[in-house]
Amino acid sequence: DAGITQSPRHKVTETGTPVTLRCHQTENHRYMYWYRQDPGHGLRLIHYSYGVKDTDKGEVSDGYSVSRSKTEDFLLTLESATSSQTSVYFCAISEGRSTDTQYFGPGTRLTVL
Amino acid sequence: AQSVAQPEDQVNVAEGNPLTVKCTYSVSGNPYLFWYVQYPNRGLQFLLKYITGDNLVKGSYGFEAEFNKSQTSFHLKKPSALVSDSALYFCAVRDTGTYKYIFGTGTRLKVLA
């Protein structure tokens, strides 16, 4: 898992509470991504970042916010968790070159009760 | 909008037989295509990619993929399947303008002993 860590790896929380997931990379890659994986939907992009303080929305961004204050860290925040946000969340990185490849972290399993 | 389709939710194949996992794509411009594999409770692992050049791309673990521009397909293949190849396989396309990656819904490969 190419120098990418995610924390926590597992979390159980209650509806209405805020949750922050962290992605940390040691590769100095420019791009970082947050996905969620749900059965029947594959991976869906939540938000991505193309540099420090530069972020953009993906296809399922409602209810999520992100921040990137350092190259190595990309935070995903669920402002007020709902049961529909129960999922497995993956962080990914890429260099942002035409020939590059996206690499994934190990994932965070989030359960919202 | 760019998209990928994996028409089969599951593919079963006997050990030792050749396997094919199908992927079709829709892009504007040149396609940048990828295959990833996911083992249980793990992140996605990169298998291979097509950026340009030869239509037959060789990747990790004996997998290869054939890019067919006229049929807009990028099928994953392996000449002789192993039980250990049983996993979830994702096809993806990269948006060249934004470096966003769009994933298919995944195909579960089951290799039977």
Side-chain angles (χ1 to χ4, degrees), chain B residues 12-89:
Chain B
N12 295 329
V13 63
E15 187 176 30
N17 283 2
L19 69 87
T20 299
V21 182
K22 295 179 181 177
C23 173
T24 59
Y25 65 90
S26 173
V27 302
S28 54
N30 294 325
Y32 292 71
L33 298 161
F34 302 80
W35 274 103
Y36 289 84
V37 61
Q38 185 182 33
Y39 298 101
N41 300 311
R42 301 288 300 275
L44 277 69
Q45 295 178 31
F46 169 71
L47 275 179
L48 51 80
K49 65 183 177 185
Y50 174 83
I51 302 296
T52 186
D54 289 342
N55 290 343
L56 186 63
V57 179
K58 294 190 181 297
S60 306
Y61 313 121
F63 284 93
E64 57 190 26
E66 185 172 10
F67 171 67
N68 188 317
K69 188 172 184 177
S70 63
Q71 297 185 4
T72 62
S73 66
F74 189 56
H75 300 333
L76 182 70
K77 300 183 179 185
K78 188 174 183 182
S80 179
L82 300 172
V83 172
S84 57
D85 293 329
S86 298
L88 187 57
Y89 290 81

Side-chain angles (χ1 to χ4, degrees), chain A residues 4-98:
Chain A
I4 310 168
T5 56
Q6 293 184 230
S7 59
R9 294 292 313 280
H10 301 272
K11 186 171 182 68
V12 179
T13 191
E14 295 189 350
T15 298
T17 59
V19 176
T20 295
L21 308 183
R22 180 179 183 242
C23 177
H24 178 79
Q25 61 148 328
T26 58
E27 306 294 327
N28 200 35
H29 281 4
R30 178 184 173 194
Y31 281 75
M32 298 185 76
Y33 309 77
W34 278 109
Y35 293 90
R36 60 178 289 172
Q37 182 179 17
D38 304 287
H41 292 278
L43 267 74
R44 292 181 291 175
L45 181 65
I46 304 171
H47 283 279
Y48 71 105
S49 168
Y50 48 96
V52 173
K53 299 192 190 310
D54 293 323
T55 64
D56 202 355
K57 296 179 179 180
E59 63 178 307
V60 290
S61 59
D62 287 349
Y64 301 94
S65 62
V66 290
S67 66
R68 191 170 178 199
S69 59
K70 298 185 290 185
T71 298
E72 58 266 35
D73 290 325
F74 192 33
L75 304 181
L76 176 71
T77 298
L78 289 65
E79 306 288 348
S80 177
T82 68
S83 58
S84 65
Q85 294 176 311
T86 293
S87 187
V88 181
Y89 292 85
F90 287 99
C91 174
I93 64 173
S94 72
E95 290 183 271
R97 297 189 295 176
S98 61

